[in-house]
Amino acid sequence: MTDESPSTAGRDFIRDIVAEDLASGRAKGVVTRFPPEPNGYLHLGHAKSICLNFGIAEEFGGRCHLRFDDTNPTKEEQEYIDAIERDVRWLGFDWGEHLHFASDYFEQLYAWAQHLIRAGKAYVDDQTQEEIRLTRGTLTEPGQNSPFRDRSVEENLDLFGRMRAGEFPNGARVLRAKIDMTSGNINLRDPVLYRILHAHHPRTGDAWKIYPSYDFAHGQSDAIEHITHSICTLEFEDHRPLYDWCLENLPVPSRPHQYEFARLNVTYTLLSKRVLTELVRGGHVSGWDDPRMPTLAGLQRRGIPAEALREFVKRIGVAKANSTVDLGMFDFVVREVLNKTAPRRMAVLNPLKVVIENYPEGQSETLEAVNHPDDPSQGTRQIPFGRELYIERDDFMEDPPKKFFRMAPGREVRLRYGYFITCREVIKNAAGEVVELRCTYDPATKGGNAPDGRKVKATIHWVSAADAVPAEVRLYNLLFTTPQPEAANFAAQINPQSLETVTGMLEPALASDNFDGAFQFERQGYFVRDKDSAPGKPVFNRTVGLRDSYAKAAG
């Protein structure tokens, strides 16, 4: 516990606004909402919005709604709805009884559209989408009034009713707000409120032939739910005057206020839902939960703890100006969290066989290993040791440079939790490749310490060859080769080494563990068991390395 109040703990400009609204009495309580479109999976950028909206509601004793903006049935699927609910819960938040859909309000929104028509503030336009675009004007030129702008209220009501009844094909007509075609804000130049769309809706079926625009549905849904603080990303700043115009011209039950904050941008990452969809549909990744994807499902499958994601969002803060966060910061936070919690295990990903010639044939023993060096409560485990082992191929060099302290001919090293061993002979195949090391061990050094006090400069990890469990290990690297990938040319920037698959040799505890979180493979990184694992056929994904490995992004 701390002495900080909600207005000072984790301070940012949005929280300052909320605190001031409560202090001044403008708001009697706090009601926020997270309003995703169910047309894809949530990604890293959504995590920032989720943590902000649910976090503020929790900090100020309010509530946060989960409301699906399901106004475009051609792109929406029940799979996405289910995934979004699952991901918000995984991140650590719950909406309680406040699960809503924009489609819950379709009848009310339609009635309010009729209200605008009767007030002379909306009309049915027969122009095509292209004609509307061409007459909207530019940032320096005003728009042109539609030739249908002065239709009578009676004709507009009749046409709008027939649009709802499904008399007209897609694109034949739209309903537009009648605001100001000369406005400096293009969003106020008679924006489209409804369009004809003959499509099956996941929740309302075929009941509707017209659907409201986001700009019309969003603010009114906020008002219906008595949202006090409608928090959006910066791209909606220019839409706020339209948000307010709709609320001012409709008999809504409450007056929410919209506030904008900077969206999350991360190096080596694209958070465009269009790009993410194309990555999946184009087969560039295995699905929405591919561990290379920045989706919450992908991050979860990669072994990222929800705690780390929440901590990352907390550290980057909430700002008014867009900026880009270095992916290294995200990896740092993930490592920081996992270092505290992840059990340790040994795994060899590029095996080189070692035979200890003076260890008795047919003999084996068990050695005690700690599960976490800084957390005694995790206890210890027994690992098997025998005459034949596997070590990491990178831990041996036949002709090492001066600062290479690991195994080399004639050099003594320590086996983690085991003995001192010395390389006596190098066995090669016909191609001259090293395939086996012949070594000796010092029985007096069990546990990794020499009674005579002699020191070695390196400790290496290993697994017993007789007991090792072979596993498919997927080494996920950066998906894109450039720090600032371009959405328009994303396919050409995909890293061909974004996934490397190797057959690793794991200590047997990894085959029997029921733990579903990430492990630290000692000296390798953090890894998590994948959903593709099967009895006797474990599959592990690399969550994050022990340090940044951006160099592997080179194509």
Side-chain angles (χ1 to χ4, degrees), residues 344-349 390-396 404-407 413-416 457-462 519-527 542 544-547:
R344 272 46 169 178
R345 297 291 184 265
M346 290 198 291
V348 175
L349 305 187
Y390 290 120
I391 68 168
E392 204 68 47
R393 188 169 292 272
D394 289 346
D395 281 341
F396 172 80
F404 182 86
F405 299 116
R406 287 165 281 169
M407 187 168 283
V413 298
R414 177 189 292 107
L415 295 177
R416 179 78 158 146
K457 292 186 176 181
T459 299
I460 63 176
H461 66 282
W462 54 277
F519 295 90
Q520 185 192 98
F521 289 2
E522 296 200 29
R523 300 179 59 237
Q524 303 275 17
Y526 296 93
F527 293 76
R542 179 165 62 191
V544 66
L546 294 179
R547 50 189 169 273

Side-chain angles (χ1 to χ4, degrees), residues 303 338 342-343 514-519 527-529 540 543:
L338 289 177
N514 294 321
F515 182 66
D516 60 1
F519 295 90
F527 293 76
V528 69
R529 187 178 286 103
F540 279 84
T543 303

Side-chain angles (χ1 to χ4, degrees), residues 5 39 150 193 219 262 270 293 311 370 377 388 423 436 484 488 507 531:
S5 67
N39 59 2
D150 296 324
L193 304 182
L270 284 173
M293 291 279 277
E311 178 62 22
V370 299
S377 69
E388 296 185 356
C423 178
E436 185 177 299
Q484 304 291 341
E507 67 167 274
K531 68 177 185 179

Side-chain angles (χ1 to χ4, degrees), residues 50 62 127 140 227-228 253 318 473 484:
I50 294 168
Q127 291 184 109
T140 58
I227 301 300
T228 59
V318 179
V473 181
Q484 304 291 341

Side-chain angles (χ1 to χ4, degrees), residues 245-266:
W245 183 91
C246 289
L247 295 175
E248 290 165 2
N249 286 281
L250 290 170
V252 293
S254 71
R255 284 298 306 274
H257 290 253
Q258 178 177 305
Y259 305 94
E260 304 86 20
F261 68 98
R263 65 183 302 166
L264 177 60
N265 297 298
V266 184

Side-chain angles (χ1 to χ4, degrees), residues 124-400:
V124 174
D125 193 346
D126 295 0
Q127 291 184 109
T128 65
Q129 183 178 353
E130 179 65 12
E131 288 171 333
I132 292 175
R133 186 187 68 80
L134 290 174
T135 57
R136 183 162 284 155
T138 67
L139 292 175
T140 58
E141 297 178 354
Q144 303 170 32
N145 286 350
S146 165
F148 304 98
R149 197 173 194 265
D150 296 324
R151 274 178 161 151
S152 68
V153 168
E154 292 73 17
E155 185 180 6
N156 281 317
L157 286 172
D158 174 67
L159 287 171
F160 190 48
R162 291 163 65 190
M163 287 168 60
R164 174 177 178 169
E167 287 189 27
F168 310 117
N170 291 349
R173 289 183 164 90
V174 295
L175 181 72
R176 297 177 69 178
K178 187 186 290 187
I179 306 180
D180 182 3
M181 290 300 292
T182 66
S183 173
N185 186 333
I186 293 180
N187 294 296
L188 295 179
R189 295 180 187 176
D190 291 10
V192 172
L193 304 182
Y194 271 87
R195 73 277 196 207
I196 299 169
L197 197 57
H198 294 266
H200 186 82
H201 190 281
R203 298 188 73 247
T204 62
D206 299 315
W208 289 89
K209 313 301 180 185
I210 56 173
Y211 290 92
S213 67
Y214 174 85
D215 281 325
F216 187 64
H218 184 67
Q220 282 60 262
S221 297
D222 284 348
I224 292 170
E225 295 175 22
H226 294 267
I227 301 300
T228 59
H229 298 81
S230 183
I231 305 169
C232 304
T233 46
L234 275 178
E235 63 263 36
F236 293 101
E237 184 175 26
D238 289 341
H239 294 246
R240 193 190 331 143
L242 177 56
Y243 181 98
D244 291 338
W245 183 91
C246 289
L247 295 175
E248 290 165 2
N249 286 281
L250 290 170
V252 293
S254 71
R255 284 298 306 274
H257 290 253
Q258 178 177 305
Y259 305 94
E260 304 86 20
F261 68 98
R263 65 183 302 166
L264 177 60
N265 297 298
V266 184
T267 58
Y268 293 99
T269 307
L270 284 173
L271 297 178
S272 159
K273 195 176 288 186
R274 178 190 63 79
V275 170
L276 298 182
T277 301
E278 291 181 17
L279 283 168
V280 173
R281 292 179 179 171
H284 301 288
V285 293
S286 63
W288 285 99
D289 68 345
D290 187 301
R292 291 167 291 183
M293 291 279 277
T295 56
L296 300 193
L299 296 174
Q300 184 177 3
R301 186 175 175 186
R302 209 177 96 200
I304 304 296
E307 177 190 350
L309 196 46
R310 294 194 301 269
E311 178 62 22
F312 171 68
V313 168
K314 179 180 177 181
R315 292 191 189 186
I316 61 177
V318 179
K320 294 183 180 181
N322 284 323
S323 61
T324 300
V325 179
D326 194 309
L327 184 60
M329 180 179 178
F330 178 68
D331 288 349
F332 175 83
V333 173
V334 172
R335 281 191 294 266
E336 190 176 61
V337 170
L338 289 177
N339 184 54
K340 298 175 184 176
T341 60
R344 272 46 169 178
R345 297 291 184 265
M346 290 198 291
V348 175
L349 305 187
N350 189 9
L352 175 61
K353 191 173 184 179
V354 169
V355 177
I356 303 176
E357 294 185 303
N358 64 332
Y359 194 91
E361 291 191 38
Q363 180 175 309
S364 66
E365 61 184 295
T366 58
L367 304 173
E368 187 174 46
V370 299
N371 288 326
H372 196 293
D374 301 320
D375 184 4
S377 69
Q378 290 198 27
T380 62
R381 68 191 186 282
Q382 298 298 309
I383 53 176
F385 181 87
R387 176 182 170 88
E388 296 185 356
L389 313 173
Y390 290 120
I391 68 168
E392 204 68 47
R393 188 169 292 272
D394 289 346
D395 281 341
F396 172 80
M397 291 187 73
E398 190 172 12
D399 184 20

